[in-house]
Amino acid sequence: MSTRRPLRRGLRAPTPPAPEPAAGPSHALKLVGTVLANTTLLTALLYYFGLVNTQTYFGYFRVHYTLLGQTPDEIFGRGVDGVLLPLTAVAGAALLFLVLTRFLEIRLGEASWSRLLRICSPVAGVLGLALLAATTAIALDPEPFRDRPGIPGVGFAIGVLMVLFSWRRWTSRRTGSTRSSVAELVTGYVLVSVGLFWAVGDYSGAVGTSRAFEAAGVISARPAVTLYSAESLNLTANGVAQVKCANPESAYKYRYTGLKLLLQSSGQYVFLPANWRASTGVAFVIPRTDKLRLEFGPPRSVPPPGC
């Protein structure tokens, strides 16, 4: 029988290595922080939402956005317009949820709080599955929810959170562990991100249409434009008049009235008739060249005769 040799005075027994911690919320926070810190990803998302906004904005005027060569700054600006409110709403809702749950946990006490979680867990699971089923059906046929942008995507994200909450409570009762695995955290993060991406994309498109509707509503209040051209542009629309100048030495032989300038971008003008209507109106995309000259006047001004 061997005896253990005593340690020499002044020496300490080696400390056993600490076990590696299981995946928990800190791992999820690190993952989310890593993704959010990726400026390339955030820039790409902002550009995408701005592009969706741009497409719907010019689509309202029946102009394909690729004809205008929109600059990245213009697209990023529209992306911020379509993302700012959803991000604020999500952050506010998350903060309110955290404060409310913490308040209830302190107010009710440990026993009552645990009882409440046991009751809410199966209810959340059933409601979450119902939301996922409903939003999946909406994804297959989105037409009924065209007037409610963002709601299907938000419903999908909330449904995923409810199902994950119910699943986590069920597994913790079976295993006795309250920690989530990396697979659960990553899956939940990806699915919730898909729902929020869906919601923000729909909202950005709706913002583009709304901005176009607002711009169309004030067309009559925009300055009147008289367009002079060295060559005939053959602009034919209700309310747009073409006058051929009688002076043969005039540098601009044609004049067009009854127009409003919507915008100028990357060397392209977008003109609308002064009486433009969404149901029948047309838009003119004209390259910006030295053969054109623009004159602006009061919204309802009448240009003098001749050139």
Side-chain angles (χ1 to χ4, degrees), residues 213-239:
F213 180 80
E214 293 172 0
V218 296
I219 287 178
S220 59
R222 289 175 177 264
V225 178
T226 301
L227 173 62
Y228 293 90
S229 174
E231 300 174 351
S232 174
L233 300 176
N234 295 319
L235 303 184
T236 57
N238 184 24

Side-chain angles (χ1 to χ4, degrees), residues 3 7 21 29 34 39 42 54 61 73 82 89 116 123 126 139-140 171 181 186 189 191 224 263 273 290 301:
T3 59
L7 294 174
L29 293 177
T34 301
T39 56
L42 293 179
T54 300
F61 298 104
D73 290 341
L116 179 62
V123 175
V126 173
L140 298 176
T171 56
S181 66
V186 172
Y189 175 77
L191 291 177
L263 60 83
D290 294 336
S301 62

Side-chain angles (χ1 to χ4, degrees), residues 73-281:
D73 290 341
E74 292 174 310
I75 294 177
F76 282 133
R78 293 193 179 95
V80 172
D81 188 24
V83 170
L84 186 60
L85 183 59
L87 287 182
T88 304
V90 170
L95 179 60
L96 179 63
F97 175 78
L98 293 175
V99 171
L100 181 60
T101 53
R102 185 59 178 167
F103 172 79
L104 290 177
E105 185 178 2
I106 297 174
R107 184 74 175 177
L108 296 177
E110 185 176 353
S112 298
W113 177 250
S114 299
R115 191 181 308 113
L116 179 62
L117 291 180
R118 285 196 300 270
I119 296 174
C120 292
S121 176
V123 175
V126 173
L127 291 179
L129 290 175
L131 277 175
L132 292 179
T135 52
T136 301
I138 293 172
L140 298 176
D141 184 20
E143 191 60 34
F145 280 81
R146 293 294 186 190
D147 296 334
R148 297 174 177 84
I151 291 181
V154 171
F156 182 85
I158 294 176
V160 171
L161 291 175
M162 285 184 169
V163 170
L164 288 177
F165 166 75
S166 180
W167 168 258
R168 188 63 257 164
R169 292 289 302 174
W170 183 81
T171 56
S172 64
R173 289 197 299 268
R174 293 294 184 272
T175 62
S177 174
T178 59
R179 295 183 179 273
S180 301
S181 66
V182 174
E184 290 174 342
L185 295 174
V186 172
T187 302
Y189 175 77
V190 170
L191 291 177
V192 171
S193 299
V194 168
L196 295 179
F197 187 89
W198 178 9
V200 177
D202 285 351
Y203 178 80
S204 297
V207 168
T209 303
S210 176
R211 295 290 182 264
F213 180 80
E214 293 172 0
V218 296
I219 287 178
S220 59
R222 289 175 177 264
V225 178
T226 301
L227 173 62
Y228 293 90
S229 174
E231 300 174 351
S232 174
L233 300 176
N234 295 319
L235 303 184
T236 57
N238 184 24
V240 178
Q242 172 183 290
V243 175
K244 186 174 182 180
C245 300
N247 185 358
E249 297 181 358
S250 174
Y252 303 98
K253 295 181 170 55
Y254 295 88
R255 187 186 70 180
Y256 297 88
T257 58
L259 295 171
K260 302 284 186 173
L261 180 64
L262 179 63
L263 60 83
Q264 183 270 325
S265 177
S266 297
Q268 301 282 353
Y269 291 119
V270 180
F271 292 102
L272 300 176
N275 58 357
W276 190 90
R277 295 293 181 271
S279 58
T280 59

Side-chain angles (χ1 to χ4, degrees), residues 4-14:
R4 181 177 300 177
R5 296 180 61 185
L7 294 174
R8 294 180 181 179
R9 182 174 297 178
L11 298 180
R12 295 181 180 178

